[in-house]
Amino acid sequence: MAAQAVPNYYSQVKPENLQNFQTITSKLELCSSLQQAKQIHACIIRNDLPVEIYAKLLQFCTSSSSSADALNYATQVFDNLQHEPTIFIYNTMIRFYANNNSPGRAFSLYRQMRERGTQPNNYTFTFLVKACTVNDSLLGPAIHAQSIVYGIQETDVHVYTSLLNMYANATTREGNLAIARSLFDRMKNKTAATWNSMIAGYSRTGKIDTARELFDQMLEKDEHSWNVMVCGYTRTGDFDVAERLFNQMPKKTLPTWNAMIAGYVRASKPTEALALFRKMQIAGVRPDAITVVTVLPACALMGATDLGEWIHMFVKRNKFDHNISVCNAIIDMYAKCGSIDKAFDVFKGMRELSLVSWNTMISALAIHGCGKEAIELFTEMEDGRIVPDDITFVGLLNACAHTRLVDSAKFYFNKMQNVYGIPPKIEHYGCMVDVLGRAQLLDEALTLVDQMPIEPNSVILGSLLNACRICRNSQVGEKVLQKLVQLDPSNPGYYVLLSNMYAASGEWEEVTRVRNLMKSRGVGKMPGCSSIEVDNMVHEFVVGDKTHPQTQAIYTKLNEISSKLESAGYLPDTSNVFFDLDEEEKAQNLSVHSEKLAVAFGLLNTRHDKPIRVVKNLRVCRDCHAAIKLVSQLYNREIILRDCNRFHHFRDGSCSCNEFW
């Protein structure tokens, strides 16, 4: 939309004030700081210039590049005007409030101007509709009706387009998309923006086929409509079509690459996301801050530390490290790649910390088993008068769960409610069940679940099932599993937990029954997969894997490891291996678990002074945990293993988890 033109008010200025008016107007056009604006404001007051000159002053203070102080000053100037504002001044402030998440102020100003007899124009409604769109306001239809009353909707293409966009993006009422389509079909001269709004609306609501129909009808497809379709297909999981569209695009700009990478990350396809990021670099497309925030979670999922460190250096070189979102993503990446010290260094080096920054760091400390450090950080946060939210307490309670801090967990669970007035959500109850279960307080955990004011979900029951496994209470575990299967019948993890529980108790007939139950329901055990990054390349292994180019060397190394372990007195823990194998077969099965293959590969291909970092998609088994702990001592290597629950830092024959995971 074209910038709103300032009317010529020179004719309304008294002759004796004309020169001052012109001089001050010129100064406002050259104004570059709030201090200058305040000085000019003082001149306006001293010369008693008409209200029209405030238009340019407010325009400067509310521009997108203005500081927070300038924005606050704009509100003060407007609220203290001694004369009735002009329509231009009203529109300037309505636009300002619409752009700054203050729709209530925008609507209040609209009511005020109507009550004082100032008639709205097309700009007024464009800004009001934007306020409704950005904030998904229920007032949208009322503003639409007002535009019709004033005869503006049908005559102004910008208002019409804004209304269509508002309805296409609304989520608060049923039928909004149908209204948007009605406006779209009646529109005589459709712009690219209107096509894109409709396509985006259908895509967002899962109606990808209808979105594709409109997309195919577009004569001139711009970059935005291509990106919307690519994102739409990635959201539905149809990556074949998404990739085909991506490859067919006549021109791929940076937002296009970002959209496709984001689609892969959103669908938990980190390998594909990182591969596309490398293609993007080969194509000579320079990443921006959005790319960085998008691709770092893929590094985190894969444990791609080297690539994550390269991105961090890129961020520093390009001064993106002033961006809070970028820094938060780097903290999360380092933490999930096992470099908790580097994560903390980034946190401490940030110029400005948001609540997300504190929450990210507390959660990072939690998954590394640094419960006391997480509590210390929370105390520092409170001392700085940073008000925590529900996410803060999820991280804090998780930290307590991973370090057996039962009393601390109870204290903060109560403090969350009694001091900060945050009612517990299902996630907080899940953390508390996990805390109690890991501490073998199964009865307390059961009581808490019974007293919950909300129905337990699969996370709560999963934590309860794990508590039954720890306490070897297969009777309660069986009941919990029945409820879990009703909620999520296709999740193999629950069956495996119960099976391991029976195996640990020597109840082999029950193990067979659970396995048969899995087969009858078509539930397959999720294959274990471990990954390790070496020289910027991520290598993945599954149990018994023999597909890697270095397979022969890896298995030779495994035999060497097994021989050293045996000499050190290590005996394989076969208690959880299915009983229909003899002891020798059980031991052989354990020796080729994916994490052991990854560690052997790491010993072959990494420097002695560098830690070996392994990421596993499942919980590490007790045998692998015991074996890797001893390997760290025998080979004098630091080994960092991330499983689906937490990090294990193996050094000198011990683990950071202290046998508690």
Side-chain angles (χ1 to χ4, degrees), residues 539-593:
H539 303 260
E540 294 183 280
F541 299 92
V542 295
V543 61
D545 202 330
K546 293 187 177 181
T547 61
H548 196 276
Q550 294 187 35
T551 290
Q552 186 173 349
I554 291 169
Y555 276 82
T556 299
K557 194 68 175 178
L558 270 181
N559 290 333
E560 175 192 302
I561 292 170
S562 297
S563 178
K564 286 192 173 187
L565 288 173
E566 187 176 350
S567 298
Y570 161 78
L571 292 175
D573 182 351
T574 61
S575 61
N576 283 340
V577 181
F578 288 131
F579 75 100
D580 52 353
L581 299 172
D582 60 33
E583 287 303 312
E584 184 177 346
E585 288 177 310
K586 289 179 182 180
Q588 182 62 30
N589 180 280
L590 288 170
S591 71
V592 291
H593 273 192

Side-chain angles (χ1 to χ4, degrees), residues 75 79 93-103 105-106 109:
T75 299
D79 290 344
M93 295 306 295
I94 289 172
R95 176 174 58 182
F96 162 57
Y97 290 128
N99 290 339
N100 287 275
N101 201 31
S102 300
R105 292 293 307 261
L109 276 188

Side-chain angles (χ1 to χ4, degrees), residues 48-66:
D48 193 24
L49 294 178
V51 70
E52 287 78 13
I53 200 167
Y54 282 91
K56 278 196 173 293
L57 176 63
L58 290 171
Q59 198 174 36
F60 166 78
C61 291
T62 60
S63 66
S64 58
S65 60
S66 294

Side-chain angles (χ1 to χ4, degrees), residues 87-130:
I87 182 60
F88 183 88
I89 291 176
Y90 272 121
N91 286 348
T92 298
M93 295 306 295
I94 289 172
R95 176 174 58 182
F96 162 57
Y97 290 128
N99 290 339
N100 287 275
N101 201 31
S102 300
R105 292 293 307 261
F107 300 138
S108 177
L109 276 188
Y110 174 65
R111 286 192 297 270
Q112 177 184 314
M113 65 181 284
R114 288 179 58 227
E115 289 169 358
R116 294 183 177 181
T118 302
Q119 184 163 322
N121 60 17
N122 55 332
Y123 292 100
T124 313
F125 285 107
T126 301
F127 302 146
L128 286 171
V129 172
K130 183 174 183 180

